[in-house]
């Protein structure tokens, strides 16, 4: 066929030796050059406008940055309070102006009177510009005609520690300087445009040269004549010709091809797959684009010999040329063609039906079912038992688990499913497993090696009529995972060498899916184990809350949900619920890191908003550290809600970072979502978090949860939150553990798609008779009175044996507060699971434990406190600080200490 087209080409080109100066290539070249010139001119103009806009924007950004930096610089407020602010600020603004690259930095009071200016004569005069928005606390940019000329300036407020605007700072540049920067860029832009024009012209010339070579510099009329010659020859041959492009679209079909394939009149231009007159196998061949030589295919009653070759070998367009020859006389080979057709259909069905899930047993069962009865009468699949657990298989065929059995009848004598088998080395299964090559046994009755496995069962197999076996190893990525056994009985003839290849192809399609399932099982088991090890195994002992919780892992894999209950000093308890974005090992590991960080930050006794701020910084650092140029990591994001409940004051402080609002159930049974500022998710940075405080009546229930509890594809988020509220309302007396189960039963489907963490805490209150407090005057003589009052209270509580140690602790802490602290000073004793002593004052200075030298007169008090107590520390409050120390209660007869918390109603 190729020789015919070559001869046709030489015949067609002989009368066309003359070349027209107006060839198709020349016309296209002129049009392309004109288009390139227009595009380059437009691009240069666009770059000029973009550069000018960017320079103006940069000038504004620089002005804002300089003004804000100066407004927040240390010492600015101190300088403004001096009698002569200009004397202090003028050198600073001039130095800052020169280093920042702006033309002026002006500090003024709230009336617009300048303290500084590059021109000293302008100091003391009114600022030229708008100051109203800046007095309102906003950053304002504008373009004005000032003392230096036409200026672009930004005005920023200076605020004192209470947020009041006490002065203004304005920084900016002269428009002339901004314009000069644009003008300096014009030569670069023009040079780039000229370079682009030259490069584009070269590319256009090369494209025109290629077009000229492909069209042989023919004029349009010459190309028309050549097409007419080709068309006449193409439709006169008695062999079908098809031309198909790379997308499977039929570009050309001659008359013979239309006749042989019964193509419709409008077949050209349609996709081959859309032509209903073609057989399925013919369609698969035509769209595949592969080479074919005299392949036999059916076309209705005809048997066609098909040849197919690609068209892009000589640099032509991608596609294929197909020739068809009627070979109906070759009906003798039609039986073989039918067999090949059936085998191809079997492989096609196997590709669709095997590996639909990431389950080893399910995949093996799919392999067995697709091969029976079309290829074998019975199929058994045996894999190494370690594969079922996601582990690497052994090197020998021992410990093989039969995971799939399928056959045309159920009364066969083969080993049953789930049996553990140790194949002997003489068996085909062991040989195939060891070598990685398939074993063919055409006649089981005469073979001897396989009988050694189980002689009695082997005899029963032969008597049953099973006579032929193929043992094909299940091999993927260089590892043998098991063996697939294909058995034939008296209903079919024995297997042959050709069918051995078919069996290997079937098993190869299943092997990758089985190995993927094995790897998934291993990763899933590791992730679940990691996640369970990172979650709390038991809640800590505490008396402030009665807590119930549930954690349900997702069916599709582990996630990053977590919760915690953390006891804090002073009988307080922290509740935490969080959710890390994503699934898998990465999310579980990140969850563990965040949970550990929350525990560490909680030991600092930080307020909820400050703790979330530290956690936000940590997530940002994790994101930066895990990003690399080769494989950019997904952004680490998380949500968290942190709450602190104090049973002494019955107040709860909480803050959240992008997390869902909790549900508050009051003792009367009403349930609502408290007004709690949302805050951004962890890892975004830039925005502070806010703490909200609530008074909780004793017996209130605080419900914390993750989004997996309420999110569902079939309903909106608001609907899910309302369902949660309704499931909690009206049950004030229900224990938290029962409430957890009731909520899960009502809101969750049978197989949740996401992890679910649910924490329900019922509040308790510390009885007033377990709390004692005294105000202490700033007089050293008051220390003895406090010690005496504390000793009396300990006697009243039955804790006299702790009196000596507590008196020493009180003496040191109260003396330090009087000596180094500020009024008011208050002492409080709390009798709970431990005896807690708290000394509060209005100072924010915290004492530190140190080793005192032999010659030092002081410095040993805190050392005594640390030795006499279980633990001690400092907690900062808006009013100052609290120094606390805890002593363990003496053991009672039942082995525990007394607890004075009221039970929830």
């Amino acid at each position: 066929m190729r020789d015919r087209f070559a001869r046709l080409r030489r015949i067609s080109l002989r009368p066309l030796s003359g070349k027209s100066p107006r060839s198709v290539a020349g016309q296209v070249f002129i049009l392309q050059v004109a288009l390139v010139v227009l595009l380059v001119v437009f691009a240069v103009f666009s770059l000029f406008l973009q550069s000018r806009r960017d320079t103006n924007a940069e000038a504004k950004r620089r002005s804002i940055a300089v003004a804000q930096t100066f407004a927040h610089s240390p010492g600015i407020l101190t300088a403004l309070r001096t009698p002569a602010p200009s004397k202090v600020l003028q050198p600073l603004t001039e130095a800052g102006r020169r280093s920042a690259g702006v033309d002026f930095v002006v500090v003024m009071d709230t009336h617009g009177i300048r303290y500084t200016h590059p021109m000293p004569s302008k100091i003391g005069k009114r600022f030229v510009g708008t100051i109203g928005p800046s007095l309102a606390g906003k950053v304002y940019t504008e373009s004005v005609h000032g003392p230096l000329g036409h200026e672009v300036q930004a005005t920023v407020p200076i605020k004192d520690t209470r947020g009041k605007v006490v002065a203004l700072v304005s920084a900016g540049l002269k428009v002339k300087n901004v314009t000069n920067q644009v003008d300096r860029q014009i030569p670069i832009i023009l040079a780039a445009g000229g370079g682009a024009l030259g490069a584009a012209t070269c590319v256009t010339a090369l494209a025109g040269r290629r077009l000229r070579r492909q069209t042989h510099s023919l004029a349009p009329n010459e190309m028309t004549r050549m097409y007419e010659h080709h068309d006449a020859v193409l439709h006169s041959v008695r062999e079908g010709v098809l031309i198909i492009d790379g997308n499977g679209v039929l570009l050309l079909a001659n008359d013979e091809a239309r006749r042989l394939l019964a193509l419709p009149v409008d077949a050209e231009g349609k996709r081959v797959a859309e032509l209903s007159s073609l057989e399925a196998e013919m369609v698969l061949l035509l769209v595949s684009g592969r080479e074919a030589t005299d392949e036999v295919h059916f076309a209705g009653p005809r048997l066609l010999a098909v040849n197919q070759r690609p068209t892009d070998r000589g640099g032509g367009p991608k596609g294929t040329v197909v020739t068809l020859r009627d070979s109906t006389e070759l009906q003798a080979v039609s039986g073989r063609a039918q067999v090949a057709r059936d085998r191809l259909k079997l492989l096609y069905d196997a590709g669709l039906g095997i590996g639909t899930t990431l389950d080893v047993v399910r995949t093996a069962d799919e392999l067995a079912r697709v091969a029976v009865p079309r290829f074998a009468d019975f199929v058994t699949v045996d894999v190494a038992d370690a594969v079922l657990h996601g582990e690497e298989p052994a090197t020998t065929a021992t410990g093989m688990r039969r995971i799939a059995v399928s056959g045309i009848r159920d009364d066969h004598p083969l080993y049953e499913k789930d049996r553990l088998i140790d194949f002997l080395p003489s068996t085909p299964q062991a040989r195939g497993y060891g070598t990685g090559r398939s074993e063919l046994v055409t006649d089981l009755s005469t073979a001897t090696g396989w009988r050694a496995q189980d002689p009695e069962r082997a005899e029963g197999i032969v008597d049953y009529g099973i006579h032929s076996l193929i043992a094909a190893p299940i091999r993927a990525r260089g590892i043998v995972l098991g063996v697939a056994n294909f058995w034939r009985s008296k209903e079919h003839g024995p297997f042959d060498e050709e069918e051995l290849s078919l069996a290997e192809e079937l098993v190869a399609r299943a092997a990758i899916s089985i190995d993927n399932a094995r790897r998934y099982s291993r990763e899933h088991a590791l992730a679940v184990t990691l996640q369970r090890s990172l979650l709390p195994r038991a809640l800590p002992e505490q008396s402030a809350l009665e807590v119930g919780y549930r954690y349900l892992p997702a069916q599709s894999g582990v996630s990053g949900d977590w919760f915690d209950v953390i006891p804090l000093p002073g009988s307080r308890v922290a509740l935490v619920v969080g959710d890390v974005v994503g699934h898998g090992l990465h999310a579980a590991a990140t969850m563990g890191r965040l949970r550990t960080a929350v525990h560490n930050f909680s030991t600092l006794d930080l307020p909820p908003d400050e703790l979330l701020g530290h956690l936000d910084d940590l997530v940002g650092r994790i994101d930066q550290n895990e990003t690399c140029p080769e494989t950019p990591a997904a952004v680490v994001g998380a949500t968290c809600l942190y709450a602190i409940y104090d049973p002494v004051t019955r107040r709860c402080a909480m803050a959240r970072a992008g997390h869902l609002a909790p549900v508050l159930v009051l003792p009367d049974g009403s349930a609502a979502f408290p007004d709690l500022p949302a805050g951004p998710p962890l890892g975004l940075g830039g925005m502070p978090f806010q703490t909200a405080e609530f008074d909780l009546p004793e017996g209130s229930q605080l419900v914390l949860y993750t989004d997996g509890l309420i999110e569902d594809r079939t309903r909106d988020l608001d609907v899910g939150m309302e369902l949660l509220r309704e499931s909690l309302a009206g049950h004030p007396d229900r224990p938290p553990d029962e409430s957890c189960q009731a909520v899960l039963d009502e809101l969750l489907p049978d197989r949740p798609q996401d992890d679910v963490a649910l924490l329900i805490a019922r509040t308790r209150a510390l009885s007033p008779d377990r709390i004692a407090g005294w105000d202490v005057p700033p007089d050293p003589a008051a220390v003895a009175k406090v010690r005496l009052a504390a000793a009396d209270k300990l006697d009243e509580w039955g804790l006299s044996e702790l009196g000596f140690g507590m008196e020493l602790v009180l003496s040191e802490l109260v003396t330090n507060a009087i000596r180094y602290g500020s009024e008011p000073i208050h002492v409080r004793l709390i009798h709970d699971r431990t005896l807690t002593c708290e000394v509060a004052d209005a100072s924010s200075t915290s004492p530190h434990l140190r080793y005192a030298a032999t010659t030092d007169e002081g410095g040993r008090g805190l050392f005594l406190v640390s030795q006499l107590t279980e633990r001690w520390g400092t907690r900062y409050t808006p009013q100052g600080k609290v120094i606390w120390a805890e002593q363990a209660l003496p053991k009672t007869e039942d082995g525990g200490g007394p607890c004075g918390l009221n039970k929830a109603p």
Side-chain angles (χ1 to χ4, degrees), residues 676-735:
L676 179 62
L682 299 174
L684 298 183
M687 294 293 292
F689 301 97
Q690 300 181 27
T691 297
E693 295 193 13
F694 308 94
D695 289 320
L696 300 183
E698 185 177 0
S700 301
Q701 295 186 54
L702 194 60
V703 183
L704 283 67
Y705 55 95
T706 56
D707 55 5
L709 179 65
I710 61 174
E711 283 189 344
D712 192 274
R713 296 178 180 178
T714 61
R715 63 176 182 243
D716 293 336
L717 184 64
D718 294 341
V719 176
M721 296 181 69
E722 180 61 22
L723 290 175
L724 174 61
R725 189 195 66 79
E726 293 176 356
S727 66
L728 293 167
H731 302 283
D733 300 329
R734 188 168 58 189

Side-chain angles (χ1 to χ4, degrees), residues 604-657:
L604 302 177
D605 217 342
L606 300 173
D609 56 339
E610 293 186 20
L611 185 141
L612 291 181
H614 288 293
L615 205 60
D616 180 66
D617 294 338
L618 174 64
V619 173
R621 289 196 298 273
I622 292 175
D623 187 18
Q624 294 176 0
N625 295 338
E626 294 187 355
T627 301
C628 61
E630 293 81 7
T631 56
V635 174
V636 173
T639 64
C640 183
L641 189 149
Y642 186 82
I644 299 177
Y645 173 69
D646 188 349
V648 176
T649 61
R650 295 192 298 277
R651 287 186 66 81
C652 180
M654 65 179 71
R656 58 179 174 140

Side-chain angles (χ1 to χ4, degrees), residues 122-160:
K122 302 298 181 180
I123 297 175
K125 297 183 180 180
R126 182 173 295 279
F127 172 72
V128 178
T130 304
I131 64 174
S134 301
L135 292 176
K138 300 179 179 178
V139 176
Y140 184 74
T141 60
E142 61 182 345
S143 178
V144 300
H145 291 276
L148 301 179
H150 193 190
E151 304 164 349
V152 176
Q153 62 186 16
T155 307
V156 174
I158 300 176
K159 300 181 180 179
D160 60 10

Side-chain angles (χ1 to χ4, degrees), residues 189-208:
I189 295 174
L190 292 177
L197 178 59
T201 303
C202 292
V203 172
T204 302
L206 292 175

Side-chain angles (χ1 to χ4, degrees), residues 32 337 359 363 409 695 844:
Q32 288 180 335
D359 184 89
T363 304
R409 295 194 302 273
D695 289 320
S844 60

Side-chain angles (χ1 to χ4, degrees), residues 5 227 230-231 234-235 240-245 249-255 257-258 263 267-270 320-322:
F5 278 109
Y227 171 79
H230 280 229
D231 190 67
L234 184 66
H235 293 285
V241 179
L242 300 174
I243 299 180
I244 303 171
D245 70 3
V249 176
L250 179 62
L251 301 180
L252 183 143
N254 69 349
D255 297 338
R258 293 178 183 273
L263 296 176
E268 294 180 350
K270 291 186 176 181
T320 56
V321 174
V322 183

